[in-house]
Amino acid sequence: MDESGFDVKDGVTCFHGNPTECALLKFADEFGFDYKVIRATVRGRSPHTRDDGCVKAFSSSRKMMSWTVPRPGGGFRVFAKGASEIVLERVTQAVHADGASIVLGDVEKGRPTEAVTKLEVDDSKRKRLMDEVISPFAHQAMRTIALAYKDVDELPAPDAEFHPTMMNTDGSPAFLLETDLVLVAVVGIEDPLRAEVPDAIERCFQAGIDVRMVTGDNLATAIAIAKGAGILNIELHFDKEGIILPRCAMEGKVFRKTVHDYKSDGEPIFRQDKFDEIWPYLRVLARSSPEDKLTLATGLHQSMLFSNSERVKELQQQGIAIFPDRQVIAMTGDGTNDAPALKYADIGFAMGISGTQIAKDAANIILLDDNFASIVTAAKWG
């Protein structure tokens, strides 16, 4: 939990760990809060009192994390952060600039009576946050993170820690502590492309390596980044109004429903024929899970689309070239949950700086500088 941070040496700030975490820590530092002091002294967060708190680590299924610590006057405070649109769904109140809180939520689930008259306003506030805050950040290729909290009198029992109706993006039940939150802020974090990346991607295309983006970012952010990187081409992948064409970009939940049928008990059944209908067009997969990476690798490995000469010719007329043999898959990843996809791919690239040890162990090649351009160097050397 303490892998991310920064140090200042000779006037130069040196970051280590997750870039998003580092950006938030630096943001707090600029408001005068020393994250090292907070980590070392807050009960429930410090190493010697950690058992007094409750941590729910980030997971791709929840797209968020939380840390619950005891309050000095009794009870507990839950601090949560995560993908803005995910957290926004779980928010019932928001904090004004003056510190007062206002109701945002749905009164039909036992909220206070005064919320009843604000139900319609609440819906408009949620929409306004999406339209005026989150979407503009996303269209500027910024990652949007929502920060929230809630106070509780006691921690839920182990057999009652899940919300009875609210679900995570993968269909699993949401933690009770991560619902009915009070929104504090939405922050936009810019993670600019390295200058050499667009050229590296263009060189990949020239060499017959087709680059696709699979990311946890929301769809608008992913599309903006992909345009800047050259993964999406204005002439090929957008209509005259600048709207991205169908199947060129989609969210993970749509991808999963598209390429699977489901048994009565909800168990997914992969459909290769459905997968072959979309993969030639798919350039960007947003809000994805590590399982989506494995599905992509599996589907591409199994695809025999190249043997359908009529279909290949049809795709060529649309500007899409299909490799005339089994697809050779290279996959990048940095998280522990990326390990199966890295292992299954023909070539797995793990990040040497931000990657977990499990991801590195599953990979064939480790990028010591976490730089996509280094993949071009690896390709040159075979």
Side-chain angles (χ1 to χ4, degrees):
M1 291 299 173
D2 297 333
E3 297 87 355
S4 300
F6 63 88
D7 299 290
V8 180
K9 298 179 182 178
D10 300 324
V12 178
T13 303
C14 301
F15 296 96
H16 54 85
N18 183 278
T20 299
E21 294 285 343
C22 289
L24 291 171
L25 293 174
K26 184 61 176 173
F27 181 63
D29 178 72
E30 292 178 355
F31 276 94
F33 296 94
D34 188 330
Y35 78 90
K36 293 180 181 179
V37 172
I38 293 172
R39 284 179 176 177
T41 60
V42 172
R43 182 183 165 209
R45 179 63 178 84
S46 63
H48 60 284
T49 66
R50 195 160 291 179
D51 290 343
D52 295 336
C54 177
V55 61
K56 304 296 184 185
F58 178 87
S59 72
S60 57
S61 62
R62 287 163 36 243
K63 306 290 186 190
M64 65 183 298
M65 67 157 293
S66 64
W67 202 306
T68 305
V69 298
R71 300 181 68 197
F76 297 84
R77 175 159 290 178
V78 183
F79 295 96
K81 69 176 184 291
S84 54
E85 67 269 28
I86 302 297
V87 175
L88 194 59
E89 291 176 356
R90 303 175 181 215
V91 161
T92 56
Q93 293 179 299
V95 175
H96 273 311
D98 62 5
S101 60
I102 59 173
V103 175
L104 278 179
D106 179 350
V107 298
E108 295 180 357
K109 299 176 183 175
R111 310 281 187 259
T113 304
E114 61 267 26
V116 174
T117 58
K118 298 181 179 179
L119 183 59
E120 292 184 6
V121 174
D122 296 340
D123 290 339
S124 68
K125 285 188 176 73
R126 194 175 261 107
K127 184 178 185 303
R128 183 172 63 83
L129 281 168
M130 286 297 300
D131 293 346
E132 299 181 13
V133 180
I134 296 172
S135 292
F137 277 157
H139 286 297
Q140 296 176 60
M142 290 186 180
R143 181 173 295 118
T144 56
I145 305 294
L147 311 177
Y149 79 97
K150 70 182 285 188
D151 292 328
V152 295
D153 294 330
E154 58 186 20
L155 298 178
D159 61 348
E161 67 172 343
F162 297 109
H163 195 279
T165 59
M166 186 165 289
M167 299 293 171
N168 296 313
T169 56
D170 68 344
S172 60
F175 288 116
L176 198 60
L177 288 174
E178 295 179 344
T179 61
D180 297 334
L181 299 169
V182 180
L183 181 67
V184 176
V186 175
V187 298
I189 300 175
E190 186 176 15
D191 188 10
L193 285 170
R194 298 188 186 191
E196 63 270 22
V197 168
D199 179 63
I201 289 175
E202 177 59 28
R203 292 169 68 189
C204 284
F205 289 149
Q206 292 173 359
I209 301 172
D210 197 0
V211 182
R212 318 286 176 105
M213 176 188 287
V214 183
T215 177
D217 288 333
N218 74 32
L219 189 59
T221 300
I223 290 172
I225 293 173
K227 285 168 65 177
I231 294 173
L232 288 173
N233 184 289
I234 295 294
E235 295 180 359
L236 293 177
H237 306 124
F238 295 83
D239 63 20
K240 293 179 180 179
E241 284 73 40
I243 306 300
I244 193 160
L245 296 175
R247 297 183 289 186
C248 287
M250 64 176 61
E251 291 185 329
K253 60 183 179 181
V254 177
F255 171 75
R256 290 188 287 274
K257 289 180 180 179
T258 302
V259 303
H260 291 96
D261 286 340
Y262 292 87
K263 295 181 179 179
S264 58
D265 60 359
E267 181 183 351
I269 304 171
F270 179 70
R271 288 283 303 273
Q272 186 67 48
D273 57 333
K274 291 185 176 182
F275 181 85
D276 284 346
E277 289 177 5
I278 66 167
W279 77 255
Y281 301 95
L282 186 61
R283 312 299 303 169
V284 175
L285 186 59
R287 284 288 181 243
S288 67
S289 69
E291 291 75 17
D292 293 335
K293 283 188 173 183
L294 184 58
T295 299
L296 278 169
T298 302
L300 288 168
H301 258 158
Q302 295 175 175
S303 179
M304 296 296 291
L305 185 62
F306 66 89
S307 63
N308 186 337
S309 58
E310 185 175 335
R311 178 67 174 142
V312 169
K313 185 177 180 180
E314 178 186 330
L315 289 168
Q316 285 176 340
Q317 293 172 347
Q318 300 174 47
I320 300 173
I322 300 297
F323 185 66
D325 204 336
R326 185 183 71 79
Q327 306 301 306
V328 178
I329 319 302
M331 188 75 70
T332 64
D334 57 7
T336 297
N337 291 337
D338 289 328
L342 292 173
K343 192 75 173 178
Y344 189 86
D346 296 291
I347 308 161
F349 288 94
M351 303 299 130
I353 299 173
S354 61
T356 64
Q357 189 58 49
I358 292 176
K360 294 175 186 177
D361 291 343
N364 305 102
I365 298 173
I366 298 174
L367 301 177
L368 299 178
D369 57 359
D370 284 15
N371 192 338
F372 180 87
S374 297
I375 294 177
V376 175
T377 303
K380 285 198 305 184
W381 288 95

mmCIF file of all heavy atoms in Angstrom, residues 105-126:
data_model
loop_
_atom_site.group_PDB
_atom_site.id
_atom_site.type_symbol
_atom_site.label_atom_id
_atom_site.label_comp_id
_atom_site.label_asym_id
_atom_site.label_seq_id
_atom_site.Cartn_x
_atom_site.Cartn_y
_atom_site.Cartn_z
ATOM 1 N N GLY A 105 -28.562 11.786 -3.881
ATOM 2 C CA GLY A 105 -28.941 10.399 -4.137
ATOM 3 C C GLY A 105 -30.406 10.087 -4.304
ATOM 4 O O GLY A 105 -31.257 10.959 -4.429
ATOM 5 N N ASP A 106 -30.696 8.821 -4.260
ATOM 6 C CA ASP A 106 -32.002 8.244 -4.523
ATOM 7 C C ASP A 106 -32.701 8.002 -3.185
ATOM 8 O O ASP A 106 -32.251 7.203 -2.373
ATOM 9 C CB ASP A 106 -31.789 6.929 -5.277
ATOM 10 C CG ASP A 106 -33.077 6.208 -5.597
ATOM 11 O OD1 ASP A 106 -34.126 6.625 -5.083
ATOM 12 O OD2 ASP A 106 -33.007 5.235 -6.363
ATOM 13 N N VAL A 107 -33.830 8.674 -2.954
ATOM 14 C CA VAL A 107 -34.491 8.571 -1.655
ATOM 15 C C VAL A 107 -35.271 7.271 -1.502
ATOM 16 O O VAL A 107 -35.745 6.957 -0.423
ATOM 17 C CB VAL A 107 -35.459 9.750 -1.431
ATOM 18 C CG1 VAL A 107 -34.697 11.034 -1.440
ATOM 19 C CG2 VAL A 107 -36.559 9.752 -2.475
ATOM 20 N N GLU A 108 -35.437 6.525 -2.541
ATOM 21 C CA GLU A 108 -36.255 5.321 -2.467
ATOM 22 C C GLU A 108 -35.522 4.171 -1.789
ATOM 23 O O GLU A 108 -36.018 3.060 -1.734
ATOM 24 C CB GLU A 108 -36.692 4.913 -3.867
ATOM 25 C CG GLU A 108 -37.609 5.931 -4.509
ATOM 26 C CD GLU A 108 -38.046 5.523 -5.895
ATOM 27 O OE1 GLU A 108 -37.582 4.471 -6.375
ATOM 28 O OE2 GLU A 108 -38.841 6.244 -6.481
ATOM 29 N N LYS A 109 -34.330 4.452 -1.280
ATOM 30 C CA LYS A 109 -33.566 3.401 -0.594
ATOM 31 C C LYS A 109 -33.295 3.812 0.856
ATOM 32 O O LYS A 109 -32.236 3.545 1.402
ATOM 33 C CB LYS A 109 -32.258 3.136 -1.332
ATOM 34 C CG LYS A 109 -32.482 2.643 -2.762
ATOM 35 C CD LYS A 109 -31.184 2.474 -3.493
ATOM 36 C CE LYS A 109 -31.417 2.043 -4.938
ATOM 37 N NZ LYS A 109 -30.178 1.975 -5.717
ATOM 38 N N GLY A 110 -34.233 4.532 1.461
ATOM 39 C CA GLY A 110 -34.113 4.834 2.877
ATOM 40 C C GLY A 110 -33.337 6.082 3.194
ATOM 41 O O GLY A 110 -32.807 6.209 4.290
ATOM 42 N N ARG A 111 -33.240 7.038 2.283
ATOM 43 C CA ARG A 111 -32.549 8.284 2.563
ATOM 44 C C ARG A 111 -33.436 9.175 3.447
ATOM 45 O O ARG A 111 -34.632 8.945 3.587
ATOM 46 C CB ARG A 111 -32.228 9.028 1.264
ATOM 47 C CG ARG A 111 -31.563 8.162 0.220
ATOM 48 C CD ARG A 111 -30.084 7.987 0.527
ATOM 49 N NE ARG A 111 -29.465 7.300 -0.587
ATOM 50 C CZ ARG A 111 -29.161 6.015 -0.603
ATOM 51 N NH1 ARG A 111 -29.415 5.278 0.445
ATOM 52 N NH2 ARG A 111 -28.594 5.467 -1.652
ATOM 53 N N PRO A 112 -32.895 10.239 4.022
ATOM 54 C CA PRO A 112 -33.687 11.139 4.855
ATOM 55 C C PRO A 112 -34.836 11.773 4.063
ATOM 56 O O PRO A 112 -34.775 11.945 2.858
ATOM 57 C CB PRO A 112 -32.655 12.204 5.272
ATOM 58 C CG PRO A 112 -31.335 11.510 5.167
ATOM 59 C CD PRO A 112 -31.478 10.577 4.023
ATOM 60 N N THR A 113 -35.891 12.175 4.801
ATOM 61 C CA THR A 113 -37.085 12.717 4.169
ATOM 62 C C THR A 113 -36.795 13.965 3.344
ATOM 63 O O THR A 113 -37.386 14.180 2.290
ATOM 64 C CB THR A 113 -38.139 13.047 5.253
ATOM 65 O OG1 THR A 113 -38.397 11.888 6.022
ATOM 66 C CG2 THR A 113 -39.437 13.531 4.617
ATOM 67 N N GLU A 114 -35.870 14.827 3.835
ATOM 68 C CA GLU A 114 -35.632 16.070 3.120
ATOM 69 C C GLU A 114 -35.089 15.843 1.710
ATOM 70 O O GLU A 114 -35.106 16.751 0.890
ATOM 71 C CB GLU A 114 -34.653 16.971 3.893
ATOM 72 C CG GLU A 114 -33.279 16.376 4.114
ATOM 73 C CD GLU A 114 -33.171 15.659 5.433
ATOM 74 O OE1 GLU A 114 -34.227 15.193 5.929
ATOM 75 O OE2 GLU A 114 -32.066 15.559 5.978
ATOM 76 N N ALA A 115 -34.614 14.638 1.399
ATOM 77 C CA ALA A 115 -34.098 14.363 0.064
ATOM 78 C C ALA A 115 -35.220 14.235 -0.963
ATOM 79 O O ALA A 115 -34.983 14.374 -2.139
ATOM 80 C CB ALA A 115 -33.273 13.084 0.072
ATOM 81 N N VAL A 116 -36.451 13.960 -0.507
ATOM 82 C CA VAL A 116 -37.546 13.676 -1.425
ATOM 83 C C VAL A 116 -37.775 14.825 -2.400
ATOM 84 O O VAL A 116 -37.940 14.634 -3.591
ATOM 85 C CB VAL A 116 -38.841 13.377 -0.636
ATOM 86 C CG1 VAL A 116 -40.019 13.236 -1.597
ATOM 87 C CG2 VAL A 116 -38.677 12.132 0.198
ATOM 88 N N THR A 117 -37.767 16.046 -1.902
ATOM 89 C CA THR A 117 -38.038 17.182 -2.762
ATOM 90 C C THR A 117 -36.880 17.512 -3.685
ATOM 91 O O THR A 117 -36.998 18.362 -4.555
ATOM 92 C CB THR A 117 -38.361 18.426 -1.911
ATOM 93 O OG1 THR A 117 -37.257 18.704 -1.040
ATOM 94 C CG2 THR A 117 -39.606 18.194 -1.083
ATOM 95 N N LYS A 118 -35.752 16.864 -3.495
ATOM 96 C CA LYS A 118 -34.566 17.165 -4.291
ATOM 97 C C LYS A 118 -34.225 16.041 -5.267
ATOM 98 O O LYS A 118 -33.174 16.057 -5.869
ATOM 99 C CB LYS A 118 -33.352 17.421 -3.384
ATOM 100 C CG LYS A 118 -33.522 18.619 -2.462
ATOM 101 C CD LYS A 118 -32.266 18.822 -1.608
ATOM 102 C CE LYS A 118 -32.427 20.023 -0.700
ATOM 103 N NZ LYS A 118 -31.235 20.230 0.147
ATOM 104 N N LEU A 119 -35.102 15.079 -5.400
ATOM 105 C CA LEU A 119 -34.767 13.911 -6.214
ATOM 106 C C LEU A 119 -34.455 14.294 -7.655
ATOM 107 O O LEU A 119 -33.457 13.893 -8.214
ATOM 108 C CB LEU A 119 -35.919 12.907 -6.167
ATOM 109 C CG LEU A 119 -35.682 11.591 -6.927
ATOM 110 C CD1 LEU A 119 -34.455 10.880 -6.378
ATOM 111 C CD2 LEU A 119 -36.901 10.685 -6.816
ATOM 112 N N GLU A 120 -35.316 15.126 -8.291
ATOM 113 C CA GLU A 120 -35.080 15.519 -9.676
ATOM 114 C C GLU A 120 -33.835 16.385 -9.798
ATOM 115 O O GLU A 120 -33.067 16.254 -10.729
ATOM 116 C CB GLU A 120 -36.300 16.260 -10.225
ATOM 117 C CG GLU A 120 -37.515 15.377 -10.382
ATOM 118 C CD GLU A 120 -38.673 16.105 -11.013
ATOM 119 O OE1 GLU A 120 -38.497 17.280 -11.433
ATOM 120 O OE2 GLU A 120 -39.768 15.512 -11.089
ATOM 121 N N VAL A 121 -33.637 17.263 -8.844
ATOM 122 C CA VAL A 121 -32.435 18.098 -8.840
ATOM 123 C C VAL A 121 -31.197 17.225 -8.700
ATOM 124 O O VAL A 121 -30.176 17.475 -9.333
ATOM 125 C CB VAL A 121 -32.508 19.135 -7.695
ATOM 126 C CG1 VAL A 121 -31.211 19.916 -7.590
ATOM 127 C CG2 VAL A 121 -33.685 20.068 -7.901
ATOM 128 N N ASP A 122 -31.317 16.221 -7.893
ATOM 129 C CA ASP A 122 -30.188 15.316 -7.690
ATOM 130 C C ASP A 122 -29.757 14.675 -9.013
ATOM 131 O O ASP A 122 -28.581 14.566 -9.312
ATOM 132 C CB ASP A 122 -30.551 14.214 -6.687
ATOM 133 C CG ASP A 122 -30.838 14.773 -5.305
ATOM 134 O OD1 ASP A 122 -30.392 15.899 -5.046
ATOM 135 O OD2 ASP A 122 -31.512 14.090 -4.527
ATOM 136 N N ASP A 123 -30.735 14.250 -9.800
ATOM 137 C CA ASP A 123 -30.412 13.648 -11.090
ATOM 138 C C ASP A 123 -29.712 14.655 -11.998
ATOM 139 O O ASP A 123 -28.765 14.314 -12.711
ATOM 140 C CB ASP A 123 -31.693 13.143 -11.775
ATOM 141 C CG ASP A 123 -32.283 11.936 -11.063
ATOM 142 O OD1 ASP A 123 -31.532 11.259 -10.330
ATOM 143 O OD2 ASP A 123 -33.484 11.675 -11.246
ATOM 144 N N SER A 124 -30.164 15.888 -11.971
ATOM 145 C CA SER A 124 -29.545 16.901 -12.825
ATOM 146 C C SER A 124 -28.133 17.227 -12.356
ATOM 147 O O SER A 124 -27.253 17.513 -13.162
ATOM 148 C CB SER A 124 -30.403 18.169 -12.864
ATOM 149 O OG SER A 124 -30.400 18.816 -11.608
ATOM 150 N N LYS A 125 -27.904 17.180 -11.031
ATOM 151 C CA LYS A 125 -26.552 17.425 -10.515
ATOM 152 C C LYS A 125 -25.582 16.336 -10.994
ATOM 153 O O LYS A 125 -24.456 16.614 -11.369
ATOM 154 C CB LYS A 125 -26.562 17.478 -8.995
ATOM 155 C CG LYS A 125 -27.154 18.762 -8.409
ATOM 156 C CD LYS A 125 -26.940 18.775 -6.920
ATOM 157 C CE LYS A 125 -27.433 20.085 -6.313
ATOM 158 N NZ LYS A 125 -28.904 20.153 -6.284
ATOM 159 N N ARG A 126 -26.075 15.108 -10.952
ATOM 160 C CA ARG A 126 -25.228 14.010 -11.410
ATOM 161 C C ARG A 126 -24.897 14.160 -12.894
ATOM 162 O O ARG A 126 -23.758 13.971 -13.320
ATOM 163 C CB ARG A 126 -25.938 12.685 -11.135
ATOM 164 C CG ARG A 126 -25.029 11.471 -11.250
ATOM 165 C CD ARG A 126 -25.756 10.206 -10.851
ATOM 166 N NE ARG A 126 -25.457 9.813 -9.485
ATOM 167 C CZ ARG A 126 -26.299 9.919 -8.462
ATOM 168 N NH1 ARG A 126 -27.500 10.425 -8.647
ATOM 169 N NH2 ARG A 126 -25.945 9.530 -7.259
#
